[in-house]
Amino acid sequence: MNSINRRSVLLAGLGVAGAGALAACSSGSGATPALVSPSGPAVAAAENKRKGTGRTRQVPLTAAAATLDLGGGVTARSWAFSGRTPGEEIRLSAGDTLSAELSNRLPDKTPTSIHWHGIALRNDMDGVPPVTQRAVRAGADYTYRFVTDAPGTYFFHPHVGVQLDRGLYAPLIVEDPDEPLSYDDEWVVVLDDWVDGVTGTPDEVLAELRHGMGGMDMDGMGDMSTKFMLMGAESELLGGDAGDVKYPYHLVNGRVSADPAVYRGKPGRRVRLRVVNAGGDTAYRVALGGHKLTITHTDGFPVRHEQVDALLIGMGERYDVLVTLDDGVFPLVALAEGKDATGMALVRTGSGGAPGTTVRPAELNGRILTASQLRAADEVRLPSRKVDRVHRVELTGGMGKYNWAINGEAFDMTDPAAHPLTVEEGQRVRLDFVNTTEMWHPMHLHGHTYQLGGHGPRKDTSIVLPKKKLSVVFDADNPGQWMLHCHNAYHAEAGMMTLVAYRS
Ligand SMILES: [Cu+2]
């Protein structure tokens, strides 16, 4: 049994039996400060301050094994919510309460959870076992119930192991009852790199990656050693190494390019695309052939509008764009950045044949703005104030030993509050990401929407390029214990995570 298998067993056991971190003050070194408990009064008080409509949206979600039809005769045995991937979209209005009833029917006694990615919600509903709840055991049910007060484009997925890289994800759209944008229609576009049930499982991918490049031959894995690992994926936009994992398919709305999802509209209509990257290890460069994209939001929050030809979207990021549809048939292409592969969907507003499955519209090489070049819309820009607390968040490790970590320390899910980055309610906090590694990392903070620099966009997931520094600020206004981690599913599971915890 290699180290990952031992650790998975340990984690599964913990999820079922223990929840040491649920206590206000975790065990471990005596220097550990007293932390706000996810189920304590500060969390309840923060929830009571959220403006609710009083309406509740009830959604059943069954996580189970499923044979998924990815189109073009491709099927994959995987895990999904209610038998489809992406799972059925959840849509509600800002202020509504979501009551999501998770039934864990996964095989092999697999524990699970749901994390509501990007939502600043009450801490005990954040879905991170064992930090904010006990893992939901196989055969058990659990109801997530919280107010969603910020409109935007979000999604949800488990926060246990590498389950995110199965089919367990779906969009979550919070509509603005006073929507300031004018558009005729919406199209939610979910991107995903797909391996599960085709060449192997995400757990097998992780096991291979964990052997690292250095140990490959010595471990006697022979040909197995490069079954999943991708070498030489290079991207200028991402500053070098683009990704570690070979994926047989890149899906747009759960379908392969040979049998794509089709959006049907009318010429001249203005459509809001809500683009979500639900991938495990792939950034996508996204363009709609023959069209310009006007960026209006990223990670749910509005930005000053910018017209571009293509977007770069890391795992966990979301972008909303407006397009005015032309007359004909157009490919929406998601180029797997640095991986020389694409996913595709079609926009059909008139007659015409479909483009080839490997088409690469010229827009992919046109004007691209990355998040650091965007500006927050005035109404969501954080007022300037003195920073009370600064944390240096060094991204460390590499492919050789597969020892991805933060500040040189691989996160230990069995003792999550061992070395938290502490903040206090009411503080203005700055996180200085310092990427010492040879690879980019999409860094995701739970429970908050930080701001890039002084005027940049409000976001919860940001690409940090290799050998670069990125500073983000947020107001500590949502007490609890929150994960801060790389949204590369494999980097995170290897240890590139830490805990941002409020002191009580
Ligand atoms: Cu990473």
Side-chain angles (χ1 to χ4, degrees):
M1 192 187 261
N2 64 27
S3 63
I4 172 57
N5 288 340
R6 277 198 304 274
R7 186 153 178 270
S8 300
V9 168
L10 185 60
L11 271 179
L14 227 196
V16 171
L22 287 174
C25 187
S26 95
S27 62
S29 77
T32 306
L35 305 177
V36 166
S37 164
S39 54
V43 172
E47 179 73 347
N48 286 337
K49 274 192 249 165
R50 292 192 173 93
K51 281 200 204 108
T53 58
R55 276 193 306 264
T56 297
R57 184 96 165 67
Q58 240 163 327
V59 179
L61 289 167
T62 302
T67 299
L68 303 171
D69 175 8
L70 306 181
V74 180
T75 58
R77 189 79 187 145
S78 181
W79 300 347
F81 289 120
S82 307
R84 43 174 286 187
T85 196
E88 195 176 339
E89 163 189 309
I90 297 177
R91 190 174 279 261
L92 61 180
S93 190
D96 288 356
T97 295
L98 176 62
S99 176
E101 294 149 5
L102 168 64
S103 300
N104 180 0
R105 301 294 177 267
L106 294 176
D108 308 323
K109 297 189 175 164
T110 307
T112 193
S113 75
I114 298 180
H115 167 60
W116 310 91
H117 182 109
I119 302 268
L121 79 179
R122 55 180 303 155
N123 188 226
D124 54 349
M125 294 291 125
D126 197 41
V128 181
V131 178
T132 64
Q133 67 170 112
R134 292 186 172 92
V136 181
R137 283 172 301 167
D141 303 329
Y142 185 88
T143 298
Y144 291 90
R145 195 181 166 84
F146 54 90
V147 175
T148 55
D149 62 350
T153 301
Y154 305 96
F155 73 121
F156 57 93
H157 58 75
H159 218 285
V160 174
V162 288
Q163 290 178 20
L164 158 72
D165 219 13
R166 307 255 182 180
L168 294 163
Y169 60 86
L172 170 58
I173 310 299
V174 181
E175 292 184 340
D176 187 342
D178 305 309
E179 178 59 60
L181 277 186
S182 100
Y183 50 92
D184 302 305
D185 196 11
E186 277 196 27
W187 184 29
V188 179
V189 175
V190 186
L191 312 174
D192 192 24
D193 44 15
W194 192 272
V195 62
D196 194 31
V198 179
T199 50
T201 69
D203 292 300
E204 289 165 353
V205 173
L206 180 64
E208 184 188 301
L209 292 173
R210 279 209 189 252
H211 278 81
M213 292 194 301
M216 263 182 356
D217 296 328
M218 285 147 69
D219 288 328
M221 291 179 75
D223 292 339
M224 266 285 291
S225 62
T226 55
K227 190 171 176 195
F228 306 111
M229 197 190 289
L230 181 66
M231 315 281 256
E234 287 287 324
S235 158
E236 215 172 289
L237 276 178
L238 294 172
D241 189 353
D244 311 334
V245 181
K246 277 184 223 168
Y247 287 95
Y249 297 109
H250 294 277
L251 308 181
V252 181
N253 289 346
R255 306 200 58 91
V256 299
S257 303
D259 187 5
V262 180
Y263 172 84
R264 285 170 209 281
K266 290 202 174 75
R269 303 265 275 179
R270 222 146 95 108
V271 180
R272 178 183 191 164
L273 271 58
R274 298 179 182 261
V275 186
V276 178
N277 183 349
D281 174 72
T282 309
Y284 289 101
R285 200 191 296 197
V286 181
L288 176 59
H291 292 75
K292 300 268 187 197
L293 312 173
T294 301
I295 302 176
T296 63
H297 296 71
T298 182
D299 296 358
F301 278 60
V303 297
R304 289 196 194 165
H305 293 190
E306 288 281 356
Q307 199 176 65
V308 296
D309 295 302
L311 296 170
L312 178 71
I313 179 167
M315 296 82 81
E317 285 191 292
R318 292 90 63 213
Y319 278 91
D320 291 24
V321 299
L322 289 175
V323 294
T324 302
L325 298 180
D326 208 341
D327 190 355
V329 183
F330 308 97
L332 179 103
V333 174
L335 171 69
E337 186 66 30
K339 294 188 175 182
D340 196 24
T342 56
M344 185 178 78
L346 289 182
V347 170
R348 192 176 273 283
T349 64
S351 56
T357 56
T358 58
V359 65
R360 295 196 187 185
E363 285 80 4
L364 287 170
N365 293 313
R367 182 173 197 244
I368 300 176
L369 288 186
T370 54
S372 55
Q373 294 162 293
L374 299 173
R375 292 280 169 269
D378 291 346
E379 64 271 24
V380 298
R381 187 164 6 114
L382 290 179
S384 61
R385 68 173 265 203
K386 179 174 81 50
V387 170
D388 303 301
R389 195 86 169 89
V390 178
H391 284 293
R392 184 181 163 90
V393 183
E394 225 174 80
L395 312 179
T396 57
M399 278 297 287
K401 293 182 174 157
Y402 216 73
N403 56 345
W404 303 110
I406 288 178
N407 295 330
E409 187 175 16
F411 189 69
D412 180 2
M413 217 25 131
T414 67
D415 190 11
H419 302 105
L421 305 177
T422 60
V423 300
E424 280 165 43
E425 194 169 354
Q427 284 182 331
R428 170 67 59 92
V429 181
R430 195 177 84 216
L431 303 176
D432 292 337
F433 295 111
V434 181
N435 188 350
T436 71
T437 79
E438 303 286 339
M439 239 189 121
W440 70 286
H441 304 281
M443 296 304 297
H444 174 51
L445 174 65
H446 290 204
H448 302 77
T449 301
Y450 53 62
Q451 178 167 295
L452 267 61
H455 308 277
R458 298 284 301 278
K459 285 180 71 63
D460 52 67
T461 311
S462 295
I463 292 173
V464 186
L465 295 174
K467 306 296 177 193
K468 297 277 196 250
K469 181 179 156 178
L470 181 75
S471 291
V472 304
V473 293
F474 66 92
D475 287 328
D477 58 2
N478 196 14
Q481 301 182 26
W482 303 101
M483 297 305 301
L484 170 66
H485 65 92
C486 177
H487 219 274
N488 180 309
Y490 301 96
H491 293 187
E493 195 53 17
M496 193 176 265
M497 300 201 257
T498 189
L499 191 72
V500 172
Y502 285 59
R503 300 175 83 117
S504 59

